Amino acid sequence: MNDTSERSSDVSPILFDDVSQSKLKHSSENEATDRIIIKPVNDEDDTSVMITFNQKISPFILILTFTASISGFMFGYDTGYISSALVSIGTDLDGKTLTYGDKEIITAATSLGALISAIFAGISADIFGRKPCLMFSNVLFVVGAALQVSAHSFWQMTIGRLIMGFGVGIGSLLAPLFISEIAPKHIRGRLTVVNSLWLTGGQLIAYGCGAGLNKVHNGWRILVGLSLIPTVVQFTCFAFLPDTPRFYVMKGEYEKAACVLQKSYINAPSDLIEQKIRELTQLNEAIPGKNPVHKLFNTVKELHTVPSNFRALVIGCALQGIQQFCGWNSLMYFSGTIFQTVGFENSTAVSIIVAGTNFVFTLVAFFAIDKVGRRAILLIGLPGMMVSLVMCAIAFHFLNIKFTGAGSSQVENGGFSSWGIVVIVFIMVYAAFYALGIGTVPWQQSELFPTSVRGVGTSFCTATNWAGSLIIASTFLTMLQNITPTGTFSLFAALAAVSTVFCYLCYPELSGLELEEVQTILSDGFNIKASKQLAKKRKQQNSEMQRKYRERDAENYQKDKPSDELLES
Ligand SMILES: O[C@H]1[C@H](O)[C@@H](O)[C@H](O)[C@@H](O)[C@H]1O
């Protein structure tokens, strides 16, 4: 299997109808409650094993998920604290007040660092492993934070932010990837959202701490120093934990993979584990290559030439682009300015409420993502965002606010009015719809790619995210000045409308599907209808399985229950 065309035929296309109707096969009567064997590909000898032996999530998986998602917290905290730190820095750097341009450079340094490291993190994770790369990001966080805490010059601060950004980029890419590779399929979405919860929670905490430390002397140094705690915790925990089974299989370390799977699926029989490993090996053969550069070349080639991979790439990058270009981070970075503009005195408090809405609705997404489905929440979220943005645009029109001054955020304020309330209310509604759908779903990107190209594929998507974040952060205030707030919000609304159409046409429902099944769905089109049917089928199978487990548990309980006489005696 050396060339691309051969590889693509191995995970060859089937039409979903085949999957749902003839290729789903329950094994023998007794086994039916423990496992389902599906034949997802053309090769009749091939099997895709869903380990459904034990529906309860093992504590081991929870520990791995929580450890990995500390990266999400770092992402949120480190991008969140800067807005208040910039206010309280005062003249602490070089003995003078930071100019508006200085502030932009310090803020953008992290996004730039994240963009650069996201490009390399995927391939490094394929070479060295997911876990070692995440641990390396901890080292970068420590170095970056140490440079900032001790900074007395603008450049030391900027370099500290850049190095911290390298860490953020690695973590933003690898934490969701790690989680999706260890998660059982029926809760994969949810476990990946744990990372987003930590992320939005990190932003909220950073805003809160920032507000609290605002007046404290050198408070910003404490704010940065606090970020050392989670990173040290993550590093220490990872020292005792393994990498993902899919990575071990990729490296041919089958025993290690079996060991992780065994701990993840308590009581699963070893033949089932072996079968799963065989399947992972068959469907995810490592990309050939004489050396890392040759391998990288082949991976990039495979990403673009295998149709299912290319479709995955289009979806993954588009979702990350949409996430950024619908304008959310402009609010994250500049909500204080906007709220001040519309006449709110305590703008920091309102910003905290917006970040809080983002967090609360990420929690809603946590419950909805596997049950309601990714596609459904996207198609609820994007139109909701569009309507809220239109309402904001209208309200800004009546507020008659002008942002003036080249490169500054000075404002000719129309003063507080009821249109100001409309802006705040709809920014919150916007935040809610954002967090429910597009704020959360793009980070499920790892499930789009097979292991062989997952690292590089998700690198491209994450780099798109950071490039978008960089562009929006550096153009938002200029847009407010040049095309007015009404124009800016209308533009975001138009982008939300186009994005809705894109998702409707191109984003299949992937909840409940095995990672390996996703490639099948994408092999000969976006197969929206087929994906919805397969996801529905998997959901039904899952609830059926859970019902059986409950019945079995109840039976066992009845059997083991001490008799009334025994209890009386
Ligand atoms: O998913 C996250 C989340 O929505 C954050 O609030 C946002 O700041 C990030 O840019 C995004 O990637």
Side-chain angles (χ1 to χ4, degrees), residues 75 79 196 199-200 203 320 323-324 328-329 332 358 434 438-440 443 465 469:
F75 173 175
T79 51
S196 298
L199 196 175
T200 51
Q203 283 175 330
Q320 290 288 14
Q323 185 192 76
Q324 295 304 318
W328 166 253
N329 277 326
M332 247 2 246
N358 187 25
Y434 167 85
I438 197 71
T440 310
W443 293 115
N465 177 291
S469 151

Side-chain angles (χ1 to χ4, degrees), residues 245-256:
R246 283 178 170 82
F247 173 72
Y248 286 137
V249 166
M250 203 172 153
K251 291 281 134 181
E253 299 182 29
Y254 302 110
E255 272 175 26
K256 285 189 184 168

Side-chain angles (χ1 to χ4, degrees), residues 234-447:
Q234 188 183 46
F235 187 89
T236 315
C237 292
F238 263 137
F240 300 98
L241 292 169
D243 216 311
T244 72
R246 283 178 170 82
F247 173 72
Y248 286 137
V249 166
M250 203 172 153
K251 291 281 134 181
E253 299 182 29
Y254 302 110
E255 272 175 26
K256 285 189 184 168
C259 181
V260 180
L261 283 171
Q262 199 77 63
K263 284 190 197 159
S264 306
Y265 299 89
I266 310 163
N267 298 335
S270 53
D271 66 314
L272 198 55
I273 301 279
E274 275 165 28
Q275 214 168 346
K276 181 77 198 167
I277 289 178
R278 265 200 303 281
E279 181 206 37
L280 290 180
T281 315
Q282 275 172 5
L283 290 175
N284 296 302
E285 289 234 341
I287 303 272
K290 293 190 273 303
N291 52 47
V293 178
H294 188 213
K295 225 173 159 56
L296 175 62
F297 177 79
N298 283 342
T299 311
V300 175
K301 187 172 150 209
E302 176 138 346
L303 194 57
H304 289 84
T305 52
V306 174
S308 58
N309 292 345
F310 188 66
R311 283 191 194 95
L313 189 64
V314 169
I315 296 174
C317 289
L319 287 194
Q320 290 288 14
I322 292 170
Q323 185 192 76
Q324 295 304 318
F325 287 109
C326 284
W328 166 253
N329 277 326
S330 54
L331 294 184
M332 247 2 246
Y333 301 143
F334 304 111
S335 55
T337 311
I338 295 177
F339 293 139
Q340 223 170 9
T341 310
V342 297
F344 277 84
E345 268 172 29
N346 197 348
S347 57
T348 321
V350 189
S351 301
I352 292 178
I353 295 176
V354 174
T357 312
N358 187 25
F359 175 72
V360 170
F361 278 83
T362 308
L363 199 62
V364 177
F366 171 81
F367 289 108
I369 199 150
D370 288 320
K371 287 220 157 73
V372 183
R374 291 109 167 97
R375 181 178 155 85
I377 56 175
L378 267 183
L379 291 177
I380 295 170
L382 284 167
M385 284 163 65
M386 188 189 69
V387 173
S388 322
L389 288 164
V390 169
M391 292 307 294
C392 289
I394 294 172
F396 271 118
H397 174 76
F398 288 109
L399 270 171
N400 197 19
I401 285 171
K402 281 194 191 72
F403 282 72
T404 54
S408 86
S409 55
Q410 281 168 6
V411 164
E412 275 176 18
N413 193 349
F416 182 76
S417 82
S418 47
W419 285 111
I421 305 260
V422 176
V423 170
I424 307 287
V425 168
F426 279 96
I427 280 184
M428 277 182 208
V429 177
Y430 165 79
F433 280 115
Y434 167 85
L436 175 69
I438 197 71
T440 310
V441 177
W443 293 115
Q444 305 282 326
Q445 59 193 11
S446 316
E447 68 188 10

